[in-house]
Amino acid sequence: MKINLDPKWQAILTDEIQKPYFHELMKNVDEEYKLHTCYPPNELIFAAFNYCSFKEVKVVIIGQDPYHGKGEANGLAFSVNDGVRIPPSLRNIFREISDELETLFLPSSGNLESWAKQGVLLLNASLTVREDTPNSHKHLKWNVFTDAVIQKISEGKEQVVFLLWGNFAHKKGLKIDRSKHLVLESGHPSPMSANQGKWFGNKHFSKTNSYLKASGKTEIDWIFNNGSLF
């Protein structure tokens, strides 16, 4: 399988990519895509890295695995392609942004490319999934690779904001050096968690920008150009 990964990321992850488990991972992913319908499309598996270079990473948002419905996943955690109905978790994310910014934010698309281009690494723990079967590629050792990515960012950069939503993401955060990065944790934005009071009001987006500003970095514009503001 061809690894469509940004060359600079490849250089940073070269040791990891050369390990036996990664070769086995790529072999198994290739076989899955040949035998089953899988998402995202092959060329978008590493899209999160190709939209957001290592140098530009300011924020890391960790998801579990891609959306598993036809035409939804675009390689960015929590993001869907233009024209796809905005999933419930993402609607709750947008609602929290709207509440924090005290404005009505009504995006017409759930495509988060604009965040990625500003330095938000939208990283799923597993980068692929079988159609209609959530978490179906967990056994392929994607977790080993994405743990290594998180560790590389933690060790190689400073003052990055890590947004960990839900128990799964909290566990992924164990490799983060919290003495030089900001780690914000809350419940998952899924309806079940949000309705239990574990998501709304976390103010992660405003806290992120306050930290970035204090660190001398450009804040993230969370509002899409295709959103409605009143």
Side-chain angles (χ1 to χ4, degrees):
M1 167 177 274
K2 181 181 179 182
I3 303 174
N4 185 26
L5 178 61
D6 174 78
K8 292 182 179 179
W9 270 109
Q10 284 201 43
I12 291 165
L13 297 168
T14 184
D15 292 343
E16 205 66 24
I17 291 172
Q18 292 175 359
K19 290 181 179 179
Y21 90 86
F22 189 82
H23 291 287
E24 186 70 16
L25 168 62
M26 291 297 95
K27 178 182 177 181
N28 290 335
V29 169
D30 189 40
E31 186 172 347
E32 278 284 308
Y33 272 69
K34 288 177 179 177
L35 296 177
H36 307 279
T37 299
C38 297
Y39 303 118
N42 188 294
E43 67 274 12
L44 296 179
I45 291 175
F46 294 97
F49 303 93
N50 298 333
Y51 276 106
C52 181
S53 69
F54 182 84
K55 181 181 179 181
E56 297 299 322
V57 172
K58 294 186 289 188
V59 181
V60 180
I61 297 178
I62 300 174
Q64 188 160 332
D65 61 350
Y67 294 114
H68 51 82
K70 183 178 180 180
E72 294 177 339
N74 61 7
L76 306 176
F78 292 101
S79 177
V80 291
N81 283 314
D82 292 326
V84 174
R85 183 177 180 179
I86 299 174
S89 291
L90 188 53
R91 285 195 177 278
N92 284 338
I93 290 171
F94 290 159
R95 178 180 163 186
E96 176 62 20
I97 292 172
S98 181
D99 290 346
E100 285 189 45
L101 300 181
E102 298 181 345
T103 187
L104 184 59
F105 175 39
L106 300 173
S108 59
S109 171
N111 194 328
L112 304 181
E113 288 179 8
S114 66
W115 290 4
K117 291 176 180 178
Q118 295 179 72
V120 181
L121 182 67
L122 295 158
L123 180 67
N124 277 315
S126 292
L127 301 189
T128 59
V129 69
R130 194 182 294 183
E131 185 178 39
D132 297 330
T133 315
N135 219 21
S136 50
H137 285 178
K138 181 180 179 180
H139 67 288
L140 298 184
K141 294 188 177 180
W142 274 121
N143 274 322
V144 180
F145 175 70
T146 51
D147 277 351
V149 171
I150 293 169
Q151 189 164 2
K152 289 285 188 183
I153 295 171
S154 177
E155 293 175 351
K157 296 184 69 69
E158 294 185 359
Q159 298 174 316
V160 172
V161 183
F162 291 84
L163 303 182
L164 310 182
W165 302 332
N167 292 332
F168 186 86
H170 297 172
K171 293 176 182 178
K172 296 289 284 185
L174 296 176
K175 295 186 178 295
I176 302 169
D177 182 349
R178 302 182 184 219
S179 68
K180 63 174 183 173
H181 301 291
L182 176 64
V183 178
L184 299 175
E185 298 179 334
S186 76
H188 195 274
S190 65
M192 180 179 294
S193 176
N195 292 338
Q196 293 175 349
K198 298 178 180 179
W199 166 256
F200 293 116
N202 63 32
K203 299 190 181 299
H204 280 190
F205 303 96
S206 54
K207 288 178 180 178
T208 293
N209 277 349
S210 294
Y211 181 82
L212 293 176
K213 184 176 181 180
S215 303
K217 298 181 180 182
T218 305
E219 300 169 70
I220 304 298
D221 181 4
W222 300 109
I223 301 295
F224 296 172
N225 290 331
N226 63 0
S228 297
L229 287 172
F230 299 94

